[in-house]
Amino acid sequence: MKNSKPVTNEAKQKVAQNSMRFNRFLVFRYITALFFFLNLYWSILSIAYWTIAGLIPIILMIMDAVILVEQTQKYWQQSNRLRVTKIGFWIQSAVNLVGMLFALIGQPQIIVPFMNQTGRWLLVGLFTLGLLICGYVQRKIWLIEHDQDKYLTYLKAFEGMGGK
């Protein structure tokens, strides 16, 4: 039989607090995963019509992976700084804006080679939705970095109660 120490209430509180602090960034992990899979789909479809623009979703997927690494580190590094996440979502915003502009001027195939004129309004809608999501993420980043997010209020209340 192993000699195991009983888990103390203090250790349970520490784990609960770490988990709650980690969950403060949960929305970023979900949205990054969404963009990762959308970019993966975009890159797979672009392979058949390979152009230099096909590198865009691949670069975005690499960037998404780097964002996920930063987010995973938040479990051990209790910081509200989100430098990589912020830069990554600015880049994603820029790509969405450029894609929307190309679709609006009637040249969607420049950035999305598997689409033609008939799908241009679908692309405008998708790129606009992507811009809105990126704007939401940037707002959440700003709130967290300035300690003005609602989740921090809940976390402080939890810690004030002794983590119970």
Side-chain angles (χ1 to χ4, degrees):
M1 213 178 205
K2 278 188 170 178
N3 185 8
S4 62
K5 296 180 184 178
V7 178
T8 65
N9 214 15
E10 188 176 305
K12 287 180 184 178
Q13 281 181 327
K14 179 79 171 157
V15 169
Q17 287 174 347
N18 277 350
S19 295
M20 286 187 73
R21 288 188 182 281
F22 186 61
N23 287 340
R24 185 179 181 195
F25 308 98
L26 189 64
V27 68
F28 304 126
R29 291 191 296 278
Y30 281 122
I31 292 174
T32 302
L34 171 73
F35 276 114
F36 178 85
F37 286 108
L38 288 172
N39 292 325
L40 176 63
Y41 185 66
W42 179 9
S43 66
I44 289 170
L45 291 175
S46 294
I47 289 173
Y49 303 91
W50 187 251
T51 65
I52 195 73
L55 290 175
I56 294 170
I58 293 169
I59 292 168
L60 291 174
M61 285 182 355
I62 293 168
M63 180 197 64
D64 291 336
V66 174
I67 289 172
L68 289 172
V69 168
E70 179 185 61
Q71 293 302 312
T72 302
Q73 291 173 343
K74 293 298 174 194
Y75 188 81
W76 298 278
Q77 298 172 356
Q78 304 295 322
S79 167
N80 64 345
R81 306 306 320 154
L82 296 161
R83 185 171 187 264
V84 173
T85 304
K86 186 188 318 183
I87 292 169
F89 277 96
W90 278 117
I91 293 169
Q92 183 73 54
S93 296
V95 169
N96 281 310
L97 182 62
V98 169
M100 186 173 60
L101 292 174
F102 276 122
L104 285 172
I105 64 169
Q107 297 297 318
Q109 67 280 1
I110 291 174
I111 195 162
V112 186
F114 53 88
M115 293 295 278
N116 57 25
Q117 288 296 333
T118 58
R120 106 184 223 202
W121 293 110
L122 174 64
L123 282 177
V124 169
L126 291 173
F127 283 129
T128 302
L129 180 60
L131 271 173
L132 292 173
I133 292 170
C134 288
Y136 170 78
V137 168
Q138 291 295 348
R139 174 74 175 142
K140 292 288 279 185
I141 289 170
W142 188 91
L143 289 171
I144 286 175
E145 288 189 337
H146 292 88
D147 290 331
Q148 295 182 8
D149 58 306
K150 286 183 183 180
Y151 199 89
L152 182 62
T153 306
Y154 302 135
L155 183 60
K156 285 182 178 180
F158 177 78
E159 289 172 347
M161 294 184 335
K164 297 178 183 175

